[in-house]
Amino acid sequence: MLIIYDIVSNRRRNKFAKCLNGYGFRVQKSAFEALIEKRLFLKLQKEIPQLIDPSADSVRIYRMTGYGEVDLYGVNTEIKADDIMIL
């Protein structure tokens, strides 16, 4: 999966990145790749809302299985079909 984020606060951003280090590895400043089993993914889904401010921050998780799925948290929680292109 690919996890990308835009977190306004330096403190929250550092805490979020530290959490993601336990799941995968950083590929860019605000992007992590992870290959995790479902149990860990469910744990991550519970942690994310506690680490961000949903009125200011944005987190996207792109699951790269089958047709793929996207989970969105925080700002910009709506996506349109023409907004997505997976390469």
Side-chain angles (χ1 to χ4, degrees), residues 43-58:
K43 181 179 181 239
L44 177 62
Q45 281 185 306
K46 289 179 184 177
E47 289 181 53
I48 289 174
Q50 298 170 12
L51 296 170
I52 69 167
D53 175 354
S55 66
D57 303 330
S58 176

Side-chain angles (χ1 to χ4, degrees), residues 14-57:
N14 290 335
K15 191 173 181 179
F16 189 80
K18 192 174 189 177
C19 172
L20 290 183
N21 275 328
Y23 291 95
F25 57 94
R26 180 177 257 151
V27 292
Q28 291 184 0
K29 286 190 176 190
S30 61
F32 277 75
E33 289 181 0
L35 181 60
I36 59 176
E37 60 188 36
K38 188 172 184 169
R39 178 184 57 83
L40 285 178
F41 177 68
L42 295 174
K43 181 179 181 239
L44 177 62
Q45 281 185 306
K46 289 179 184 177
E47 289 181 53
I48 289 174
Q50 298 170 12
L51 296 170
I52 69 167
D53 175 354
S55 66
D57 303 330

Side-chain angles (χ1 to χ4, degrees), residues 45-82:
Q45 281 185 306
K46 289 179 184 177
E47 289 181 53
I48 289 174
Q50 298 170 12
L51 296 170
I52 69 167
D53 175 354
S55 66
D57 303 330
S58 176
V59 176
R60 291 179 177 235
I61 300 175
Y62 295 86
R63 288 182 268 177
M64 308 297 186
T65 59
Y67 291 105
E69 292 183 44
V70 179
D71 290 319
L72 307 173
Y73 301 89
V75 179
N76 299 322
T77 56
E78 293 183 358
I79 58 172
K80 299 175 186 133
D82 57 323

